[in-house]
Amino acid sequence: MRLTLTDPLSGTLHAFLTRHTLQERNKALALALVESANRGEPCLLTALFAPDRPLLVCDSVLADGDHIALRLTVTTGTAAWCLFAEFRFDGEGRITEHHTTPRPHPG
């Protein structure tokens, strides 16, 4: 039996693979933002800590559709913070929405 793009299973598989691919692309974009911040480039993740230059370490990244959530450890001098960041990307990979919430790092 040969499936074509009009077969229900094929359409379901295509939708799954497309969604998975977009989630992986969006994760990579969010992690690239963390890397650029660590190179000293100003971005959404570092604006909260200006004028200090923070070091960001990604503890976890989750993807759900076009939403990406990051949990980061941010170090500035001797202080450490936990930063939660959520991004939403459009089809072109541009950030359309973002939210960040810094919290003092436990311990």
Side-chain angles (χ1 to χ4, degrees):
M1 178 174 148
R2 212 168 164 198
L3 294 175
T4 65
L5 288 178
T6 58
D7 293 328
L9 178 60
S10 180
T12 301
L13 183 59
H14 179 266
F16 172 77
L17 292 175
T18 301
R19 182 174 182 208
H20 179 73
T21 301
L22 286 174
Q23 287 178 342
E24 292 303 315
R25 180 205 65 179
N26 291 344
K27 280 183 181 179
L29 289 171
L31 292 173
L33 190 60
V34 172
E35 291 174 11
S36 70
N38 284 333
R39 287 192 303 268
E41 300 170 19
C43 70
L44 300 170
L45 295 173
T46 59
L48 297 168
F49 302 97
D52 295 328
R53 183 176 170 215
L55 172 66
L56 306 175
V57 176
C58 185
D59 301 317
S60 64
V61 57
L62 300 170
D64 183 20
D66 57 354
H67 286 84
I68 302 297
L70 300 174
R71 185 176 56 119
L72 305 160
T73 297
V74 182
T75 307
T76 59
T78 59
W81 299 84
C82 187
L83 179 67
F84 298 99
E86 180 184 356
F87 297 96
R88 186 173 190 182
F89 294 92
D90 67 9
E92 301 295 317
R94 293 180 297 245
I95 297 172
T96 59
E97 186 179 332
H98 75 280
H99 306 281
T100 53
T101 307
R103 304 214 186 245
H105 198 277

